[in-house]
Amino acid sequence: MKVWIYSDRSKVVGDPGHLKVFETIEAARAWFEHNDPEGVAFEYETVVAQRYNRPLKPSSAPKLDAKRVKALLVLFILFLGCADLVTTNMILNLGLGELNPFMHIAQTWLGAWWLIPKLGLTYIMMWLLWRSTNPYNVAMVAAFCCAPVLNNLLIIAGTT
């Protein structure tokens, strides 16, 4: 493949307008008519490597389906919600209180039925994450959902 290159001698090498590259001689002539009627472009043969023209080999690594990964992450969030319920009940049985103000209000108003709004919020979060198109966002939320469970486990370990 050939290109035509024009060098503007009034500019310093490296300036944005120092070189102009044209794909065809017609394009170079048209530019010269409007910008530099006495300018000259020289022809340059480009090198195209053959390795870029051959198809790539398929990878032997196992392919991960984004929908499966997202489904596993959403199920993991359900597991974390249930683990939060169990560990929170263990903390309440030890005589300690709930730190989440919304769940504290639910426990005060609903008594033992506070589990219903807790699971309801977990299901709403799962539904919203299922609608997400990016599994990385779901993974970030799953990582953040680990924090309350780990905190509860640390509290339980510290009291026993």
Side-chain angles (χ1 to χ4, degrees):
M1 180 176 149
K2 294 180 183 177
V3 294
W4 284 262
I5 299 177
Y6 164 73
S7 175
D8 188 351
R9 293 187 181 138
S10 67
K11 304 229 182 208
V12 178
V13 175
D15 281 348
H18 174 67
L19 293 177
K20 301 268 188 229
V21 180
F22 304 99
E23 187 176 7
T24 63
I25 190 68
E26 292 82 18
R29 286 182 182 146
W31 186 84
F32 285 129
E33 286 177 12
H34 295 298
N35 297 297
D36 189 2
E38 295 181 12
V40 177
F42 61 92
E43 184 179 3
Y44 184 79
E45 182 72 31
T46 60
V47 179
V48 179
Q50 292 298 323
R51 65 185 173 103
Y52 294 118
N53 295 334
R54 68 179 175 190
L56 297 173
K57 292 181 191 177
S59 173
S60 62
K63 303 218 185 298
L64 290 176
D65 183 18
K67 288 184 180 180
R68 286 186 185 178
V69 171
K70 186 169 76 169
L72 287 173
L73 287 170
V74 170
L75 287 175
F76 182 63
I77 289 172
L78 175 64
F79 169 76
L80 289 172
C82 293
D84 188 26
L85 284 174
V86 170
T87 55
T88 300
N89 271 335
M90 291 176 71
I91 288 173
L92 293 174
N93 289 337
L94 290 171
L96 301 172
E98 173 68 51
L99 294 177
N100 181 345
F102 299 111
M103 287 300 114
H104 182 72
I105 291 172
Q107 290 170 356
T108 304
W109 289 355
L110 302 174
W113 294 98
W114 73 273
L115 302 171
I116 303 297
K118 177 73 170 177
L119 280 176
L121 290 173
T122 302
Y123 289 132
I124 289 171
M125 182 171 45
M126 288 172 56
W127 175 73
L128 289 172
L129 290 173
W130 185 254
R131 294 180 48 88
S132 173
T133 58
N134 190 347
Y136 296 108
N137 294 342
V138 179
M140 289 299 294
V141 172
F144 284 124
C145 287
C146 291
V149 176
L150 292 175
N151 185 49
N152 288 349
L153 290 174
L154 287 173
I155 292 171
I156 293 167
T159 58
T160 56

